[in-house]
Amino acid sequence: MHDQASALRDLASRENTQKSKMRVIAVTSGKGGVGKTSFTVNLALALAEYGQRVVILDGDLGLANVDIAFGLSARYTIEHLLSGEKTIEEILLIGHRGIGIIPGGSGVQKLADLERDKLRNVIANLGRLEKMTDLLIIDTGAGLGHIVINFLQAADDVILVTTPEPTALTDAYGLLKSLRVEAGDVPIHLVVNKVRSEADALATYKRLETAVQKFLDGSLNYLGYVYDDSFVGRSVMQQDPLGISYPDSAAYKCIQWIAGKVAGIYVHPPRQAGGVRGFLSKLLRSF
């Protein structure tokens, strides 16, 4: 993989491109069932309301379902892009508010096995995303799998979704511990999902932040919270995102608030974005 990463950097350096404004956010969780994908989909919709152009890469190998959340069905995935059968435009699905969706599935893992000629094709295709979007959001799998960790350390920023449940907090801390070792310089932003009150959310954040400061010598950025809302479950069953089916729901109002903070982060980014080439370079180097 060292040769592949070197090849990628060589190819990227030969192209005279302007510095891209596109940034890569990885949304993750320590365990399944905390509402990560629903949050990702609705965050994208809320960001679109702020004028952001957003593409979601479905990076969950075991349960790729971003397209289903939009009520769509993927005919092609990133695997067809990696094989050279299809272009990025041919596999890209378009959801509500112009949100782009790159169906991932098992094809994501094959990024680690690309030959040089196919790597050049992938760079050219994904490079075109920088003209289509401002933010690439990766919906990672849950847990500590090596593909998940690789995505997180390659991203510009990480949003960690958890809930107040003790098991969710334990798993979130485990993920943070791994990230501290593997990707210590990646900014991590916490969202507490399925809360009954703001006080519950703040207490959850403080418990996790205290542990991170004491044992990991690090810190977390508190990004916000999302209310436990029955409309979320209804929207999932209807295969229509919360922001479309129940835009006035309490949960979506929270996500709109969080999206405003995220949009602000990227108006004045905390560090320079690497764009598609920077993301791929770090991702391939990590395999």
Side-chain angles (χ1 to χ4, degrees):
M1 285 312 304
H2 175 73
D3 292 340
Q4 287 173 305
S6 298
L8 177 62
R9 288 193 294 273
D10 290 343
L11 289 171
S13 66
R14 292 174 196 163
E15 299 189 23
N16 247 342
T17 57
Q18 295 181 345
K19 290 183 179 179
S20 171
K21 294 192 298 182
M22 193 198 82
R23 299 183 67 85
V24 180
I25 306 175
V27 182
T28 193
S29 62
K31 66 186 290 290
V34 301
K36 172 181 58 63
T37 295
S38 176
F39 172 79
T40 300
V41 165
N42 287 289
L43 176 66
L45 288 169
L47 284 165
E49 294 181 45
Y50 285 95
Q52 298 288 311
R53 300 172 301 164
V54 183
V55 170
I56 302 173
L57 169 60
D58 194 341
D60 191 333
L61 304 184
L63 193 62
N65 57 4
V66 170
D67 56 331
I68 296 172
F70 275 95
L72 302 172
S73 179
R75 184 175 179 183
Y76 305 112
T77 71
I78 198 171
E79 190 167 358
H80 294 92
L81 174 66
L82 302 185
S83 68
E85 297 174 62
K86 299 294 177 181
T87 65
I88 187 66
E89 291 83 2
E90 289 173 318
I91 71 167
L92 193 68
L93 299 175
I94 303 298
H96 299 286
R97 295 178 189 158
I99 303 299
I101 302 133
I102 303 174
S106 60
V108 173
Q109 196 160 13
K110 295 186 178 181
L111 275 170
D113 303 315
L114 286 180
E115 299 171 358
R116 185 184 175 91
D117 60 332
K118 291 183 178 179
L119 185 62
R120 184 186 296 273
N121 177 60
V122 170
I123 294 168
N125 272 274
L126 293 183
R128 293 202 293 276
L129 284 177
E130 295 183 333
K131 296 181 180 179
M132 304 177 194
T133 186
D134 302 305
L135 294 172
L136 175 64
I137 301 180
I138 303 173
D139 181 34
T140 75
L144 297 172
H146 75 280
I147 295 293
V148 173
I149 296 298
N150 290 345
F151 273 137
L152 299 184
Q153 67 182 11
D156 293 312
D157 287 85
V158 171
I159 295 178
L160 173 62
V161 181
T162 190
T163 70
E165 295 179 0
T167 55
L169 280 176
T170 299
D171 290 332
Y173 176 78
L175 179 59
L176 288 169
K177 186 175 181 180
S178 294
L179 275 177
R180 181 64 178 166
V181 175
E182 302 290 342
D185 62 338
V186 178
I188 301 172
H189 313 276
L190 184 71
V191 170
V192 187
N193 197 19
K194 301 182 181 180
V195 303
R196 294 183 179 180
S197 67
E198 181 180 0
D200 285 345
L202 286 171
T204 300
Y205 163 69
K206 288 177 181 177
R207 283 197 296 271
L208 202 52
E209 169 73 354
T210 299
V212 168
Q213 288 182 341
K214 184 175 181 179
F215 300 110
L216 302 181
D217 191 28
S219 63
L220 285 174
N221 174 40
Y222 180 55
L223 196 56
Y225 60 88
V226 181
Y227 284 121
D228 191 6
D229 190 335
S230 62
F231 284 119
V232 175
R234 293 187 196 180
S235 70
V236 171
M237 293 301 294
Q238 294 168 4
Q239 294 184 21
D240 206 17
L242 187 70
I244 300 299
S245 53
Y246 303 105
D248 295 322
S249 61
Y252 188 64
K253 292 297 183 183
C254 290
I255 293 173
Q256 287 177 311
W257 164 59
I258 291 170
K261 297 175 75 173
V262 171
I265 289 171
Y266 296 110
V267 170
H268 304 287
R271 60 177 189 168
Q272 183 177 335
V276 164
R277 289 170 181 81
F279 168 71
L280 281 175
S281 180
K282 287 184 285 185
L283 180 64
L284 292 172
R285 188 162 52 234
S286 67
F287 280 110

